[in-house]
Amino acid sequence: MDADVTDSAGTPADPDLPAGETPQGRSQEEPGATDSKEEPEPGNDAPQGEAADTDSGTDSDDGESRAAGAQTWADQPKDGSASRRKRPWLRWAALGASFLVMISAGAGWWLYKKLDGNITTDTGAAAELKVYEKERPTPVVMDAQNILLIGSDSRSGDNREYGRDDGGSQRSDTTILLHLAADRKSATAVSLPRDLMVEVPKCRTGGGKETREQFAQFNSAFELGGTACTIRTVERLTGIRIDHHMVVDFNGFKGMVDAVDGVEICLKEPIDDKDARLELPAGRQTLNGEEALGYVRARKTLGDGSDTERMERQQKFLGALVNKMQSNGVLLNPTRLYPVLDAATKSLTTDPGLNSLRDLYDLVRSMRDVPTDQVQFLTVPRQPYRQNTNRDELVEPDASELFKQLREDKPVAVVPADELKDAKKDTGEGEGAGQDGKPDDTGSESPTPAPTYSGSSAADDLCEQ
């Protein structure tokens, strides 16, 4: 029985060597030792020192655990060196990926802060509106949004090239009341004529003085008391609570047009307007930012020279701009949206509720699913002012009905002016009839189309009209 155990365990240790050492050139295990299948008899286990160096006993529980953890001298350095060779590459790959993530995050944060820093916050208007809070209308539909867009005609600073700098005084060249439906399925932009005669409330001037309440031209409110006075004038006129406002100057408009690579229009006749610094041939063409600005500002050399006709041209151009942004996927593509936001924010002044990139992005995102045919533009029903035909006045009850629709977040339908005229002829209505079929009683020739809900949508093709 002892012989069997010795053969199974392998060659005994050399008595001339220290315990645990193997003579040079001798294998740790003799050939054939690992093939031995003999088992020791019960009660006759191999000595402790020999059992650690043997592969015998593989059928026993204790032997299995030892054999599983054992590793030959030939295998150990091979596995260890391969592991050491792989680990540095993995570490470098992980470090590289982490570095790229940090760079991307840093660049994204820098771009965000840059756009955020472009926006100017109008804290003065917010403070002024708080003073007159009790006079302001109460919101009727909470989820709807009413935003007042004001185009400044200031000639100071970068806008000096468009006219004489009169010491920084300015009037609102264009004012649009933008109503976003609560369900965000429609957007209605109503232009308010700058020559409209309205009740301007008492307002505080930049020097802290209070102006008197007066019946005056609409755009004088901006000159007298700035944005807050304009907002309060619009709220008194319409009964609609203004939630936010934006003031955009000429350069902001130019930059947005250039950021979408221009907007296409069609001209029936060539334009040569020195005041607007615009010279264009007839036909289909794409306007860059500078040309687009001249096109929407031109007045005396286009059409009948009226401000209302200019507003209609502005509305159609803005519709084409919206259509270009949606059809080219600008609103869904951060790479293409960035230059648009950069151009807009550089010349944008907003209330504190819209003074961050996050606020503006949320606003744009809420509008990106509005169908272009439901982005509508119209001018408030107006007619020549009875005491001065160079000024405008509202047509009632048409104007009040329009304001009520918007205030209660009800849909407003607009159709092209020529279609509306044809419809009136078919129904036997006069050219001076209002939208509800009731004739107005102005009895005077209007320099602009009759006061109706005629208008356009962003889906209209400017070259098919």
Side-chain angles (χ1 to χ4, degrees):
M1 298 296 291
D2 291 340
D4 292 338
V5 172
T6 302
D7 291 340
S8 174
T11 306
D14 194 324
D16 296 330
L17 294 173
E21 290 190 14
T22 304
Q24 185 176 4
R26 184 188 296 179
S27 301
Q28 190 176 7
E29 296 177 356
E30 290 293 330
T34 55
D35 295 331
S36 173
K37 301 294 182 181
E38 297 186 64
E39 297 178 6
E41 291 184 3
N44 291 306
D45 293 334
Q48 184 175 0
E50 294 178 355
D53 296 328
T54 181
D55 290 330
S56 67
T58 54
D59 291 335
S60 68
D61 292 339
D62 184 64
E64 285 178 355
S65 63
R66 291 175 182 174
Q71 192 175 49
T72 65
W73 289 103
D75 291 337
Q76 184 174 353
K78 179 179 178 182
D79 292 346
S81 61
S83 176
R84 285 193 297 270
R85 284 196 302 270
K86 290 180 181 178
R87 285 175 183 171
W89 290 105
L90 291 173
R91 286 197 297 268
W92 280 110
L95 286 172
S98 300
F99 180 73
L100 290 176
V101 170
M102 290 175 63
I103 291 295
S104 300
W109 178 248
W110 181 83
L111 292 175
Y112 179 88
K113 296 300 290 183
K114 180 179 182 295
L115 291 176
D116 228 29
N118 286 345
I119 305 170
T120 302
T121 306
D122 186 0
T123 55
E128 180 75 4
L129 291 173
K130 274 189 177 181
V131 174
Y132 297 99
E133 178 62 36
K134 292 181 180 180
E135 298 179 10
R136 303 184 66 194
T138 302
V140 177
V141 181
M142 300 304 295
D143 291 332
Q145 290 279 303
N146 296 293
I147 304 172
L148 197 64
L149 308 177
I150 302 173
S152 167
D153 68 350
S154 171
R155 301 301 196 276
S156 61
D158 293 337
N159 294 327
R160 190 179 296 108
E161 60 182 300
Y162 301 108
R164 177 177 57 85
D165 183 0
D166 51 5
S169 65
Q170 56 185 337
R171 292 194 178 191
S172 51
D173 187 66
T174 300
T175 304
I176 296 175
L177 173 59
L178 176 63
H179 174 78
L180 303 179
D183 59 8
R184 296 302 189 268
K185 292 183 179 179
S186 67
T188 304
V190 181
S191 294
L192 301 172
R194 67 181 193 175
D195 295 333
L196 186 67
M197 299 302 294
V198 297
E199 291 287 346
V200 179
K202 291 186 298 185
C203 298
R204 294 179 185 272
T205 65
K209 297 180 179 180
E210 189 173 67
T211 64
R212 61 181 177 82
E213 185 173 325
Q214 56 191 293
F215 186 68
Q217 194 173 323
F218 172 71
N219 68 343
S220 66
F222 196 66
E223 183 181 24
L224 290 172
T227 304
C229 192
T230 301
I231 290 174
R232 293 178 56 228
T233 300
V234 172
E235 290 183 338
R236 174 175 289 197
L237 179 71
T238 65
I240 297 172
R241 172 83 174 211
I242 302 300
D243 300 297
H244 300 290
H245 72 268
M246 298 182 186
V247 180
V248 184
D249 70 16
F250 294 153
N251 282 288
F253 176 80
K254 286 196 313 181
M256 290 182 66
V257 174
D258 285 332
V260 296
D261 300 323
V263 175
E264 187 179 70
I265 66 165
C266 280
L267 296 176
K268 296 180 181 179
E269 298 177 353
I271 299 176
D272 186 5
D273 191 319
K274 293 181 181 179
D275 290 340
R277 303 172 60 180
L278 184 66
E279 186 174 351
L280 296 172
R284 183 186 294 265
Q285 54 204 292
T286 299
L287 304 186
N288 61 29
E290 187 72 37
E291 294 168 334
L293 180 58
Y295 178 72
V296 298
R297 291 183 62 232
R299 176 175 178 176
K300 297 178 181 178
T301 60
L302 293 181
D304 59 15
S306 68
D307 190 49
T308 300
E309 186 169 291
R310 180 173 67 167
M311 285 188 295
E312 292 174 354
R313 188 165 60 252
Q314 291 172 351
Q315 293 165 6
K316 291 176 181 179
F317 188 88
L318 288 175
L321 176 60
V322 171
N323 196 9
K324 179 75 175 285
M325 293 177 67
Q326 287 199 350
S327 61
N328 284 20
V330 174
L331 299 181
L332 300 176
N333 187 338
T335 303
R336 300 203 63 189
L337 181 60
Y338 174 79
V340 176
L341 290 175
D342 187 43
T345 54
K346 281 179 179 177
S347 302
L348 189 66
T349 300
T350 75
D351 62 276
L354 281 181
N355 69 338
S356 73
L357 186 61
R358 168 59 62 184
D359 295 327
L360 291 176
Y361 178 75
D362 289 342
L363 177 65
V364 172
R365 186 176 59 180
S366 71
M367 294 180 61
R368 69 185 182 187
D369 294 328
V370 178
T372 53
D373 62 345
Q374 291 303 308
V375 180
Q376 303 178 120
F377 299 87
L378 69 153
T379 301
V380 64
R382 38 73 49 217
Q383 66 188 14
Y385 180 43
R386 299 169 191 267
Q387 297 182 23
N388 183 350
T389 56
N390 292 320
R391 298 291 179 263
D392 287 330
E393 66 181 7
L394 295 180
V395 172
E396 297 295 359
D398 303 70
S400 294
E401 289 174 357
L402 171 62
F403 298 147
K404 184 174 183 291
Q405 291 290 105
L406 298 177
R407 189 166 54 245
E408 297 178 356
D409 196 33
K410 293 181 179 178
V412 174
V414 300
V415 295
D418 54 350
E419 289 186 17
L420 190 61
K421 271 185 184 177
D422 292 340
K424 288 177 180 178
K425 289 180 182 178
D426 293 340
T427 57
E429 297 177 17
E431 289 189 2
Q435 188 207 13
D436 59 358
K438 298 178 182 178
D440 64 46
D441 53 1
T442 61
S444 62
E445 292 186 7
S446 171
T448 55
T452 62
Y453 288 88
S454 64
S456 60
S457 78
D460 294 344
D461 187 344
L462 295 183
C463 292
E464 295 181 356
Q465 297 181 23

